Amino acid sequence: MSERIKNIKKAEVLTLKEQITYQEGQVVSKTLAQNEHLSITLFSFDKGEEISTHESGGDAFVTCLDGTGKITIDGKEYFLHEGQSIVMPAGHPHAVFGEEQFKMLLAVVF
């Protein structure tokens, strides 16, 4: 059977925001789990970097791990700070922007 959780240590206490680094001028992603029902990914955004407007087939739950991110859903802007979360509903246009350097955990449920 293949691993369900990958790219992260198991049976060890860890801090998620330390599991991904910032890279100048880039959005960096690290997939932790991926199947037909669920996708869990860590992201880091350098200041000013973004994932442009798109839609997802699943509800996308975002938790800010570090910095400040701007989440746009249906044209409305929301600012996330460390420890805050938001759900980007399936089938609604959304975008993510690094207002400052920004790390997030994304869990999409299909």
Side-chain angles (χ1 to χ4, degrees):
M1 181 164 66
S2 64
E3 288 188 276
R4 295 184 178 144
I5 299 286
K6 61 183 183 179
N7 299 322
I8 199 164
K9 293 181 180 175
K10 298 175 182 74
E12 182 178 308
V13 176
L14 48 83
T15 302
L16 283 176
K17 70 182 179 181
E18 294 172 357
Q19 304 306 305
I20 193 164
T21 59
Y22 291 113
Q23 293 188 26
E24 186 176 340
Q26 294 186 39
V27 175
V28 179
S29 66
K30 183 177 185 179
T31 301
L32 304 182
Q34 182 82 47
N35 64 38
E36 65 274 12
H37 304 292
L38 178 72
S39 171
I40 300 175
T41 310
L42 289 172
F43 284 91
S44 71
F45 292 75
D46 197 16
K47 182 177 180 176
E49 295 301 313
E50 68 180 323
I51 296 174
S52 60
T53 302
H54 63 285
E55 293 181 16
S56 171
D59 288 329
F61 179 84
V62 173
T63 298
C64 177
L65 303 173
D66 188 47
T68 303
K70 180 175 71 176
I71 309 295
T72 305
I73 304 169
D74 291 327
K76 184 174 180 184
E77 296 178 349
Y78 303 87
F79 291 88
L80 283 188
H81 303 278
E82 186 173 342
Q84 295 181 320
S85 300
I86 193 166
V87 174
M88 300 180 293
H92 290 255
H94 58 268
V96 182
F97 178 79
E99 193 68 19
E100 298 174 3
Q101 282 190 323
F102 170 59
K103 292 181 182 179
M104 70 180 208
L105 175 68
L106 173 67
V108 183
V109 181
F110 298 99

